[in-house]
């Protein structure tokens, strides 16, 4: 049975307090997003589009969502398969370019670096990245390739990652 999940946010352009959109060069791109029960989130446009480089932009958020979704999907799959992940990080990259007359994301590459407990199934842990990609809700929702170049290693006998 399919369940519907509904998410609600309230986005407010807080830059209005600094003046109206009297010209493209003059207005603030700052905004706040409020989600009931969560702390407010403050963002801006990318600096290329006259935003504040010290704040998150929508492009950052998309990349963050893809990386987090893959990680959470992967960790769930590993837990179900009896693979004990002891560390996970991802240095994800996203590319935007003009395509079909529009600027859009053309590709995201995730670079998960995973360490599992010694003795767990290393090949299975590697293969679960493909499964994680297929069950990631966010990756299933975008119209560009989301690739992954994962590195999975075992914890060595001293309890540290191999070099």
């Amino acid at each position: 049975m399919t369940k519907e999940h509904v998410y609600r946010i309230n986005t407010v352009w807080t830059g209005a307090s600094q003046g109206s959109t009297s010209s493209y060069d003059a207005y603030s791109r700052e905004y706040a997003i409020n989600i009931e029960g969560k702390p407010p989130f403050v963002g801006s446009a990318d600096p290329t589009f006259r935003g504040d480089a010290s704040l998150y932009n929508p492009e950052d958020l998309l990349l963050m969502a893809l990386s987090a979704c893959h990680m959470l999907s992967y960790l769930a799959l590993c837990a179900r398969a009896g693979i004990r992940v002891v560390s996970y990080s991802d240095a994800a990259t996203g590319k935007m370019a003009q395509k079909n007359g529009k600027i859009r994301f053309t590709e995201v590459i995730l670079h998960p670096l995973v360490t599992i407990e010694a003795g767990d199934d290393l090949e299975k842990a590697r293969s679960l990245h493909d499964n994680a990609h297929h069950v990631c809700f966010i990756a299933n929702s975008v119209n560009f390739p989301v690739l992954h170049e994962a590195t999975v290693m075992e914890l060595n006998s001293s309890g540290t990652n191999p070099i």
Side-chain angles (χ1 to χ4, degrees):
M1 180 161 96
T2 302
K3 292 183 179 180
E4 182 177 73
H5 299 271
V6 177
Y7 300 89
R8 290 181 175 81
I9 66 165
N10 182 20
T11 303
V12 177
W13 174 46
T14 56
S17 65
Q18 297 177 35
S20 70
T21 57
S22 58
S23 78
Y24 182 78
D25 296 339
Y27 71 95
S28 168
R29 274 65 171 173
E30 191 170 310
Y31 59 90
I33 297 176
N34 298 294
I35 301 172
E36 189 174 331
K38 298 180 183 181
F41 173 89
V42 179
S44 184
D46 183 85
T48 303
F49 308 108
R50 302 195 179 281
D52 184 338
S54 70
L55 299 175
Y56 296 107
N57 61 60
E59 297 83 5
D60 294 332
L61 299 175
L62 180 60
L63 192 57
M64 289 165 44
L66 285 163
S67 177
C69 187
H70 183 90
M71 178 191 69
L72 294 169
S73 298
Y74 179 78
L75 294 175
L77 291 169
C78 283
R80 289 181 181 133
I83 295 171
R84 298 165 295 165
V85 176
V86 296
S87 72
Y88 184 111
S89 62
D90 181 13
T93 59
K95 294 181 186 175
M96 282 182 37
Q98 185 133 3
K99 183 177 178 184
N100 300 328
K102 296 179 181 180
I103 297 175
R104 62 179 65 207
F105 272 87
T106 57
E107 174 183 85
V108 164
I109 303 176
L110 308 176
H111 298 95
L113 176 59
V114 179
T115 304
I116 63 172
E117 287 282 355
D120 286 0
D121 189 338
L122 191 58
E123 288 310 309
K124 179 70 172 175
R126 288 180 176 135
S127 73
L128 286 176
H129 279 285
D130 288 332
N131 298 61
H133 173 73
H134 292 291
V135 299
C136 172
F137 310 131
I138 308 299
N140 289 331
S141 300
V142 298
N143 66 352
F144 54 85
V146 178
L147 310 170
H148 59 276
E149 297 174 357
T151 302
V152 180
M153 60 189 108
E154 286 185 328
L155 198 64
N156 67 25
S157 60
S158 66
T160 60
N161 289 342
I163 297 177

